[in-house]
Amino acid sequence: MKIGMFDSGRGGTTVLEAVKKRLPFEEYYYIADASNCPYGEKSDEELYRIVRGNVEKLLEWGAEIIVVACNTATTRCIARLREDYPEVPFVGTEPAIKLALESGFSKVLVLATPNTIRSERMKELVGNAQVDLLACPGLAETIEKYYEKDNGEISAKLSELLEYDESYDAVVLGCTHYPLVREEIQKFYPKAVLLDGAEGVAKRVEEIVNKNPFMKGKS
Ligand code: DGL
């Protein structure tokens, strides 16, 4: 099947890798929308216009499933996308809060973009649980910009945003850019397991592909 994905740059490649591992023979189209990074600091209207542009492009290329490989675009836009494109199977990427709570971790911190942290979906995911939320303005953008030629910019940004804390036993990486600097983040939370939503997305995409056995592995 033709699987389309997008993110505000390289972050969604962490999701792409997880999906490809399960489904190596599908055909992938990936939009690294770096010119519009950061999604996490845009108004809803602007973000939806950008996201719709990516969806239109992927559909033009023949995508049969669209993976929103971005927590921000998922939490803020996926409900509207499903209304506007009822025939398209969308798979979103959400902060792995459910996984953290179901796994029995007692002290959980969620790191995400400002837009994801203040989304309604975040409130739903947290529910009545005791979870700490930390918005990380500028982090996705810094990773996007300096990942390949980092002269300390990323660790400087992390030190500005995060505080060393041994009390967390789980930290949810609620932005697909953050797993790219997993080791750096781990240094701030040495006792925590770091969780992200990529595996959940991969499982969901696999279910959809398996429901279309004649299309599997075909483009
Ligand atoms: N990688 C995205 C996410 O998962 C977007 C980051 C951004 O552009 O702000 O939230």
Side-chain angles (χ1 to χ4, degrees), residues 7-119:
D7 177 46
S8 64
R10 66 179 80 241
T13 59
T14 58
V15 178
L16 176 64
E17 290 314 314
V19 179
K20 266 186 165 171
K21 215 184 256 176
R22 278 183 182 256
L23 296 163
F25 302 114
E26 309 310 311
E27 194 175 325
Y28 293 91
Y29 295 82
Y30 182 85
I31 297 178
D33 187 16
S35 60
N36 286 310
C37 184
Y39 283 3
E41 288 155 66
K42 300 236 173 340
S43 72
D44 275 357
E45 273 320 301
E46 192 182 2
L47 184 58
Y48 192 68
R49 187 185 50 74
I50 291 166
V51 161
R52 228 188 126 105
N54 291 333
V55 167
E56 289 290 334
K57 224 180 271 173
L58 291 169
L59 292 175
E60 244 170 62
W61 296 341
E64 294 154 291
I65 299 175
I66 295 187
V67 177
V68 182
C70 168
N71 293 262
T72 309
T74 300
T75 53
R76 303 210 69 110
C77 304
I78 204 163
R80 200 165 157 193
L81 284 174
R82 287 184 172 133
E83 267 172 40
D84 288 352
Y85 301 89
E87 71 293 352
V88 178
F90 286 102
V91 179
T93 309
E94 289 191 329
I97 296 171
K98 218 172 136 215
L99 174 65
L101 298 174
E102 284 173 0
S103 308
F105 292 110
S106 55
K107 197 154 183 250
V108 178
L109 172 69
V110 181
L111 306 177
T113 67
N115 268 345
T116 298
I117 293 290
R118 54 176 173 247
S119 66

